[in-house]
Amino acid sequence: MKKIFILFAAALTIGLTGCQSFLEEETYGSTTEIFKEENGIKALVYQSYTKINNLYGGDGQWPLMTELGTDLFLRGKNQGDTGLTDYYGLDANNGNVSWLWNHCYKALANINMFMETIDTTPFADESEKLQCKAEMLVMRSMFLWIITETWGDSYLPRTTDKTEGMEARRSTREDFYEEIIGGLEQVVNEGMLPDERTSEAGRIDMPTAKAFLARMYLYHEQFEDAERLASEVIDGPYGFELTPSLKDLWADDKTNDEFIWTTNFTNDESYAQSNGYWQWYAMYIDRFPGVQTMLGWTGYGGCQAIPSLYYIDNFNRDADLRWIDLHQWVWYYNDPADDRSAFPLNQWREYIDTALYLCPDVLPLAEHKRMEKTFTVFDRNDMFDADGIPQDRWTFIGMTKFYDHTRPGNMSELSDRSYPVIRLGELYLIRAEARIRSTTNQDLKGAAEDITELRKRAVNHEKPEYEEAMKVTEEDMTLDFILEERARELFGEWQRRLDLKRFGRLIDQVRIYNPDAKDNIKEYHVVRPIPQTQFDGMPDWTTLGQNEGY
């Protein structure tokens, strides 16, 4: 299926054209006649899937806007958008904000064109027609959610009418959620999809619709509904299960029974989409003696995002396998060509002896001196200054959750690994939070059971005290705990800024834990600026107007 998606996308891709409105950018001219035929309608569906791929694993603007500029990640050496990472000079001319705006509204233009055409378009198989409509309703909800959580009250496009689009009048966040939840409820309540998992990886099915609806209920503070829908997915007949091993969960051999909805990529150069997210959180290690990038052995880092000290200290680093299994701080010698004379105490046996070590704690001075004669070493103070600011932005403990060892070569940037848009682990977190926040039937015991189940695979059983440290009780079930646990479980999964905003904690958390951004962030940064390019294409920009503060 993924190759079919890419092929149709290639036929329909339309580039951005500068200062036109999104509707003008998405004009198809005489080619719109094809959308009155089955193949043309399907092409719009496939195009919409590629636009999901661009966000979840593809182009870098969505993680830049969800993971950076938060309490968890600081700007890496290769990330230069200080407007989004540090809130420094963020304004309506930011190119990455413009990209996301155009991307979402172009996707909605496709989807609205589909909705205006689908009911009168003949299909050979009416059940396939219904499936396409259900898929597009889910994707429409996805893009509307991204828009309103990014820009707040904004333009809610309901049709392809050009006048409506050029005026782009504002709708409230509540209006958005009426459409978001209404579309998903239509799919679920009307049984528009078979009540089973699809056999086509990456394709939206009924459990996908239910899982995403559970997330939207949580955002809309319909906590009892969020718990109900999460339970339907967790306890339902779909065969989803928490992968027992974190290493298996994040293995680079495509997918598993925990991933509910994934994006899909191919490393076939004829069909490949941009897919560089796998290298965002790792440093480039080839500059150090004795180590080199090698496929299947060590990382090829993009140096985009550096874990903050808050992130590092949020884990029990001895007890929690989410730290131990999904981060890299030791590299072994694998490059015989390097000069090793500066390290007289190292035997330099390939793949056995340490060549590079990053310690998240402060090493005793004598131990640091000893290590310096054996291998390259950085401790906490070498990597961060007293304020928690990275010392060089090149050197940091990398997160390996998305790494891909199956690429075509050591230095290849092609990757065909899958990325979860939503997975079962998140559903346990949704249900636990909904049980805590319920105003009619608070269930702290049930919430603790959810977290306990989710944590089973994260417990380091090496010592009894580690197992004890990972236990949770009803008394632990607070919103502060859930926010921290979501950070430990979902780091890097396009959630953090949205979580902080949803909890009303974005400003406070950034001011306390993000030393790059703490002096720059203002209350109005909770939403992003509407791009200037949007106003340039409007007869009267005041019908939409800029977000306050920008």
Side-chain angles (χ1 to χ4, degrees):
M1 177 180 171
K2 59 188 173 186
K3 286 189 177 181
I4 297 174
F5 282 0
I6 305 299
L7 282 169
F8 275 101
L12 289 177
T13 298
I14 296 174
L16 302 183
T17 56
C19 296
Q20 293 177 300
S21 75
F22 72 89
L23 281 179
E24 290 177 318
E25 289 166 359
E26 200 66 6
T27 296
Y28 293 95
S30 61
T31 62
T32 55
E33 288 301 309
I34 195 174
F35 301 132
K36 298 177 181 178
E37 303 171 6
E38 180 175 337
N39 284 341
I41 282 288
K42 288 180 178 178
L44 286 172
V45 178
Y46 303 144
Q47 170 72 342
S48 297
Y49 272 104
T50 67
K51 289 184 179 295
I52 299 290
N53 280 23
N54 290 143
L55 297 172
Y56 291 87
D59 293 308
Q61 287 84 347
W62 185 226
L64 174 59
M65 298 183 76
T66 54
E67 301 304 307
L68 287 157
T70 68
D71 51 357
L72 298 187
F73 293 104
L74 311 177
R75 167 174 42 88
K77 185 69 172 182
N78 292 337
Q79 179 49 252
D81 192 339
T82 55
L84 291 175
T85 63
D86 302 358
Y87 303 94
Y88 180 76
L90 180 61
D91 61 25
N93 295 308
N94 184 284
N96 287 314
V97 175
S98 296
W99 181 91
L100 184 63
W101 176 277
N102 285 324
H103 187 76
C104 291
Y105 280 103
K106 282 166 64 68
L108 288 169
N110 282 340
I111 293 169
N112 284 339
M113 182 180 294
F114 170 96
M115 293 299 176
E116 292 173 355
T117 311
I118 182 64
D119 290 338
T120 58
T121 301
F123 264 60
D125 183 346
E126 286 297 310
S127 65
E128 190 172 7
K129 180 178 183 177
L130 189 63
Q131 176 177 339
C132 287
K133 187 171 183 178
E135 291 171 285
M136 292 294 255
L137 282 169
V138 173
M139 285 190 276
R140 181 174 186 267
S141 292
M142 167 70 77
F143 286 109
L144 290 176
W145 169 66
I146 291 172
I147 287 171
T148 196
E149 290 304 328
T150 303
W151 290 282
D153 298 346
S154 187
Y155 170 50
L156 198 170
R158 292 183 171 90
T159 72
T160 59
D161 178 74
K162 187 172 182 179
T163 299
E164 176 200 315
M166 296 299 283
E167 291 180 353
R169 297 182 183 276
R170 283 188 184 242
S171 294
T172 66
R173 182 177 182 272
E174 186 61 30
D175 293 331
F176 272 84
Y177 273 95
E178 183 177 345
E179 294 285 329
I180 291 165
I181 290 174
L184 293 168
E185 286 181 337
Q186 181 181 350
V187 173
V188 171
N189 296 340
E190 295 181 11
M192 294 178 67
L193 293 165
D195 195 23
E196 60 189 19
R197 285 172 67 178
T198 180
S199 60
E200 296 183 83
R203 192 148 200 177
I204 292 167
D205 54 17
M206 184 59 83
T208 295
K210 289 182 176 181
F212 191 60
L213 180 54
R215 185 195 283 179
M216 294 301 95
Y217 280 145
L218 194 70
Y219 270 79
H220 198 235
E221 299 187 357
Q222 295 177 235
F223 300 123
E224 291 75 18
D225 289 326
E227 178 185 355
R228 174 176 56 83
L229 262 292
S231 295
E232 287 190 25
V233 178
I234 293 170
D235 303 323
Y238 307 116
F240 293 115
E241 58 183 10
L242 294 173
T243 305
S245 162
L246 287 166
K247 290 182 178 179
D248 289 341
L249 171 61
W250 296 109
D252 44 19
D253 55 355
K254 310 305 177 286
T255 191
N256 54 64
D257 282 332
E258 182 167 336
F259 288 175
I260 297 171
W261 180 15
T262 63
T263 54
N264 282 265
F265 294 86
T266 173
N267 61 15
D268 185 328
E269 292 187 17
S270 300
Y271 310 109
Q273 278 184 282
S274 173
N275 176 8
Y277 196 47
W278 56 271
Q279 61 175 320
W280 258 56
Y281 299 92
M283 73 172 187
Y284 183 58
I285 51 92
D286 294 57
R287 57 204 170 93
F288 297 106
V291 289
Q292 62 179 329
T293 295
M294 186 173 290
L295 191 66
W297 181 252
T298 190
Y300 175 33
C303 301
Q304 295 285 337
I306 298 175
S308 67
L309 289 177
Y310 169 73
Y311 174 103
I312 292 170
D313 294 340
N314 191 37
F315 295 89
N316 184 319
R317 295 193 295 273
D318 294 318
D320 197 332
L321 292 179
R322 290 173 295 191
W323 173 263
I324 298 166
D325 287 350
L326 301 179
H327 298 84
Q328 185 169 11
W329 58 91
V330 176
W331 291 261
Y332 299 109
Y333 164 68
N334 72 334
D335 190 358
D338 277 353
D339 177 13
R340 288 114 52 201
S341 61
F343 307 98
L345 299 184
N346 199 321
Q347 299 179 58
W348 296 99
R349 293 167 297 179
E350 285 190 85
Y351 308 113
I352 296 174
D353 289 315
T354 298
L356 174 62
Y357 173 51
L358 309 183
C359 181
D361 298 307
V362 178
L363 289 166
L365 183 59
E367 182 70 0
H368 201 301
K369 292 293 185 183
R370 183 195 68 80
M371 289 181 178
E372 288 174 7
K373 297 178 181 180
T374 311
F375 44 75
T376 304
V377 58
F378 294 84
D379 74 356
R380 187 184 188 98
N381 287 343
D382 297 321
M383 291 184 285
F384 297 92
D385 70 13
D387 294 322
I389 296 174
Q391 297 277 27
D392 66 7
R393 301 192 188 273
W394 281 110
T395 309
F396 54 92
I397 293 172
M399 182 267 280
T400 62
K401 182 182 278 188
F402 304 120
Y403 195 71
D404 185 0
H405 294 93
T406 69
R407 294 172 291 110
N410 290 346
M411 306 300 287
S412 173
E413 296 187 11
L414 288 178
S415 174
D416 67 344
R417 78 157 298 146
S418 301
Y419 296 88
V421 179
I422 193 165
R423 61 180 174 92
L424 192 65
E426 183 188 343
L427 271 292
Y428 277 91
L429 288 164
I430 288 172
R431 188 166 71 178
E433 182 182 336
R435 285 171 165 171
I436 292 169
R437 300 181 74 172
S438 174
T439 56
T440 60
N441 187 31
Q442 188 182 60
D443 182 7
L444 299 183
K445 181 175 182 291
E449 289 172 352
D450 282 333
I451 300 301
T452 298
E453 186 67 24
L454 183 60
R455 281 188 165 202
K456 282 181 179 178
R457 62 182 173 204
V459 178
N460 182 2
H461 296 288
E462 189 176 297
K463 295 181 180 181
E465 55 262 39
Y466 296 163
E467 297 181 24
E468 188 65 28
M470 291 294 284
K471 289 181 180 179
V472 296
T473 66
E474 293 181 39
E475 288 71 29
D476 294 318
M477 294 300 103
T478 66
L479 292 183
D480 284 344
F481 174 88
I482 287 294
L483 189 61
E484 291 177 351
E485 189 71 5
R486 286 182 69 88
R488 287 185 283 264
E489 181 68 26
L490 299 174
F491 55 89
E493 295 182 55
W494 308 274
Q495 303 259 13
R496 189 57 178 179
R497 191 178 191 278
L498 304 178
D499 279 343
L500 293 176
K501 179 175 178 286
R502 180 167 62 84
F503 275 72
R505 296 283 296 277
L506 176 64
I507 305 300
D508 289 344
Q509 292 286 110
V510 169
R511 284 177 175 166
I512 296 169
Y513 298 118
N514 187 324
D516 289 336
K518 66 178 183 179
D519 294 331
N520 303 323
I521 193 166
K522 304 292 188 296
E523 294 293 335
Y524 65 81
H525 285 132
V526 169
V527 294
R528 305 298 195 180
I530 295 173
Q532 183 60 43
T533 52
Q534 171 64 32
F535 298 129
D536 291 342
M538 296 175 63
D540 178 6
W541 71 274
T542 62
T543 58
L544 178 60
Q546 182 56 273
N547 282 335
E548 184 179 353
Y550 293 106

